[in-house]
């Protein structure tokens, strides 16, 4: 999505929260939703919205958060919030990045993995239309704990009142603050933040105070609304599970609308980047990790687990198959029950039907690997490669001790332990 204002633009992502309620050694924003960190989802939303620059505010002594940010967007600037003094204080940690910026600044949180890019685009469009500051809000079923957005007679944000500071009348308001907002320029944002004072129940510097400050200075504000679930923040494992459920529902709907069949959608777990082609059939209780592409007409049978794999057209997988990273399957391949593949290329029409492990290997077109076959790819120190030629037949319960090559059209007798190369069209019995 191109930047409609045609000016430099930045997103400041707040990711310095301690996340103590997660009760985890892992920083809160690195907990995953649909196999991607919550921080990753926020950064992706900003990138999809066309933001040109990213600044991430991280906490002290959490290098993993900075590493994750740079992995997702290599040009990300990271700033450390040394003390936890509130959301305005967190944004000020990145002040040097935007203080002279004439373009729009978006502020979002690293623990809101469901925020859609469309909401960020709508905020930006409100600024392009003339507002100096735009706030993203939502109507809450239960507003307890949220900051309330107070509107003026024209329906524009006049202030945001945090729950602890709100009057009983203000607490009855259901229009709540999402924590996401946008300011017309970094210069304006910096000047607003400089006026924030910790005059509240928590003695913190609230980012939300800049709305009232902006209005007092005669700046124009605007309200943009979204669905409540879009702004779901994650502070504990219960909320993390809720976010996962919402994300899975969205991913399943996208897959179904894209032409895939999910026999029992609620039992299928998808990753954020799962790609399913038209007329793909997914049976119940299938789990997709990240990095999976399934091409048109393929069938994934029940209780299969697939991660980092490419599955060709009309292939059939499972049931109870496990495809690990590096598995690449051609058209019409058959992978049967209790088969595990790792870093293996399986060419068109080849079959690995039962109870086999194929790792660090290449299997040629039309080859047949019998039940119980193992590629012995690890010698205790290094991994080695196995090459099975086109049309070869590997008898059941065979062990292929890598490095080894089975020639085109060769036949390996059942129960053999193969430690040497087998010539094309040869018979090997060991």
């Amino acid at each position: 999505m191109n930047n409609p204002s045609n000016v430099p633009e930045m997103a400041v992502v707040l990711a310095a929260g301690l996340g103590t309620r997660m009760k985890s050694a892992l920083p809160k924003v690195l907990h995953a939703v649909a196999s991607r960190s919550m921080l990753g989802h926020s950064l992706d939303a900003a990138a999809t919205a066309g933001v040109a620059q990213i600044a991430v505010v991280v906490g002290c002594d959490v290098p993993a958060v900075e590493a994750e940010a740079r992995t997702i967007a290599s040009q990300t600037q990271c700033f450390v919030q040394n003390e936890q003094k509130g959301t305005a204080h967190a944004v000020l940690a990145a002040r040097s990045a935007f203080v002279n910026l004439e373009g729009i600044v978006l502020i979002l949180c690293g623990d809101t993995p469901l925020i859609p890019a469309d909401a960020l685009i709508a905020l930006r469009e409100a600024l392009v239309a003339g507002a100096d500051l735009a706030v993203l809000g939502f109507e809450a079923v239960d507003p307890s704990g949220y900051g309330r957005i107070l509107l003026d007679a024209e329906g524009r944000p006049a202030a945001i009142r945090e729950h602890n500071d709100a009057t009983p009348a203000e607490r009855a308001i259901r229009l709540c603050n999402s924590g996401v907002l946008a300011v017309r320029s970094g210069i304006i944002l910096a000047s607003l933040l400089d006026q924030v004072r910790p005059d509240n129940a928590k003695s913190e510097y609230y980012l939300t105070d800049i709305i009232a400050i902006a209005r007092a200075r005669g700046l124009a504000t605007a309200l943009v609304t979204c669905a409540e679930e879009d702004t779901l923040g994650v502070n504990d494992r219960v909320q993390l599970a809720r976010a996962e459920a919402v994300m899975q529902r969205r991913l399943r709907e996208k897959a179904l609308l894209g032409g895939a069949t999910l026999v029992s959608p609620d039992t299928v777990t998808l990753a954020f980047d799962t790609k399913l082609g038209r007329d793909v059939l997914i049976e119940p209780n299938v789990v997709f990790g990240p990095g999976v592409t399934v091409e048109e007409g393929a069938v994934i049978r029940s209780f299969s687990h697939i991660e980092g794999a490419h599955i060709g057209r009309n292939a059939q997988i499972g049931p109870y198959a496990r495809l690990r990273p590096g598995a690449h399957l051609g058209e019409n391949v058959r992978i049967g029950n209790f088969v595990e593949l790792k870093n293996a290329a399986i060419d068109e029409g080849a079959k690995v039907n039962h109870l086999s492990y194929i790792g660090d290997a290449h299997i040629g077109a039309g080859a047949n690997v019998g039940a119980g076959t193992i590629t012995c790819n690890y010698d205790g120190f290094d991994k080695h490669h196995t090459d099975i030629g086109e049309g070869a037949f590997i008898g059941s319960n065979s062990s292929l001790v890598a490095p080894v090559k089975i020639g085109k059209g060769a036949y390996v007798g059942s129960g053999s332990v193969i430690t040497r190369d087998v010539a094309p069209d040869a018979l090997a019995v060991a």
Side-chain angles (χ1 to χ4, degrees):
M1 181 73 63
N2 293 324
N3 183 346
S5 59
N6 197 32
V7 293
E9 185 168 352
M10 171 171 286
V12 178
V13 182
L14 306 184
L18 299 176
T20 54
R21 281 181 281 172
M22 297 295 288
K23 293 181 170 59
S24 173
L26 185 70
K28 180 176 71 170
V29 297
L30 298 188
H31 283 262
V33 173
S35 297
R36 169 186 261 173
S37 70
M38 291 192 287
L39 176 60
H41 285 290
S42 295
L43 293 175
D44 181 69
T48 303
V51 175
Q53 304 175 61
I54 303 289
V56 177
V57 179
V58 303
C60 280
D61 301 320
V62 282
V65 175
E66 182 173 346
E68 174 76 352
R70 296 190 187 283
T71 297
I72 296 167
S74 60
Q75 300 303 312
T76 295
Q77 300 179 70
C78 292
F79 300 87
V80 177
Q81 183 187 18
N82 291 306
E83 298 179 78
Q84 304 287 316
K85 294 184 177 181
T87 48
H89 182 260
V91 178
L92 278 170
R95 190 179 192 276
S96 62
F98 59 77
V99 65
N100 296 314
L101 186 69
E102 296 183 358
I104 293 168
V105 179
L106 290 163
I107 299 174
L108 61 157
C109 303
D111 61 357
T112 54
L114 302 174
I115 194 77
D118 287 349
L120 305 183
I121 293 169
L123 285 171
R124 187 171 60 196
E125 290 176 345
L127 301 180
V128 174
D132 297 298
L133 187 154
V135 177
L136 183 65
F138 62 95
E139 289 283 340
V141 175
D142 178 5
S144 299
Y146 291 112
R148 310 308 203 277
I149 300 176
L150 310 183
L151 303 179
D152 63 15
E154 286 76 36
R156 296 171 300 187
I160 294 178
R161 194 81 70 236
E162 295 299 334
H163 181 86
N164 290 340
D165 301 300
T167 66
E170 289 169 341
R171 290 185 179 186
I173 295 171
R174 291 176 54 206
L175 180 62
C176 295
N177 173 43
S178 69
V180 180
L181 56 83
V183 183
R184 182 165 54 83
S185 80
I187 298 170
I188 293 174
L189 173 61
S191 68
L192 294 172
L193 289 169
D194 288 341
Q195 292 185 252
V196 175
R197 296 293 178 265
D199 302 328
N200 51 67
K202 291 186 176 181
S203 297
E204 292 185 349
Y205 294 85
Y206 289 158
L207 176 64
T208 49
D209 286 352
I210 68 172
I211 287 80
I213 294 170
R215 289 298 297 267
R217 288 171 48 178
L219 299 178
T221 59
L223 173 68
V224 173
T225 58
C226 64
E228 182 175 1
E229 72 174 26
D230 291 345
T231 67
L232 176 63
V234 174
N235 293 300
D236 56 35
R237 307 278 185 154
V238 174
Q239 292 172 336
L240 183 67
R242 289 175 186 162
E244 182 72 36
V246 173
M247 184 67 76
Q248 288 299 326
R249 189 194 73 228
R250 292 179 179 181
L251 293 171
R252 291 162 187 154
E253 289 177 357
K254 181 180 178 181
L256 292 164
L257 292 172
T261 294
L262 278 59
V263 175
S264 180
D266 289 346
T267 70
V268 175
T269 300
L270 300 168
F272 72 98
D273 60 350
T274 304
K275 295 180 177 63
L276 303 179
R278 187 175 61 179
D279 293 324
V280 165
L281 174 65
I282 310 296
E283 291 186 351
N285 299 299
V286 173
V287 175
F288 291 94
V292 177
T293 296
V294 184
E295 294 190 14
E296 183 175 331
V299 176
I300 314 296
R301 302 205 179 278
S302 295
F303 297 100
S304 294
H305 189 288
I306 303 169
E307 179 179 358
H310 183 107
I311 297 171
R313 290 164 56 95
N314 301 317
Q316 291 190 20
I317 311 300
Y320 294 97
R322 185 181 181 197
L323 275 57
R324 293 166 57 193
H328 193 286
L329 282 56
E331 293 188 22
N332 299 304
V333 164
R334 299 292 182 269
I335 304 298
N337 47 302
F338 302 103
V339 170
E340 181 177 356
L341 303 179
K342 189 273 293 187
N343 192 30
I346 316 296
D347 290 349
E348 181 177 357
K351 299 177 182 179
V352 187
N353 276 328
H354 316 287
L355 301 161
S356 295
Y357 170 73
I358 305 296
D360 298 296
H362 172 244
I363 298 178
N368 184 88
V369 177
T373 295
I374 297 172
T375 57
C376 305
N377 56 328
Y378 183 53
D379 63 6
F381 299 96
D382 298 302
K383 296 291 183 70
H384 300 282
H385 188 76
T386 298
D387 191 291
I388 298 174
E390 178 182 340
F393 186 96
I394 311 299
S396 298
N397 294 321
S398 296
S399 297
L400 309 179
V401 182
V404 69
K405 182 174 182 179
I406 310 300
K408 176 180 178 180
Y411 193 108
V412 173
S414 297
S416 296
V417 178
I418 303 299
T419 60
R420 300 179 181 179
D421 291 352
V422 178
D425 298 316
L427 169 65
V429 178

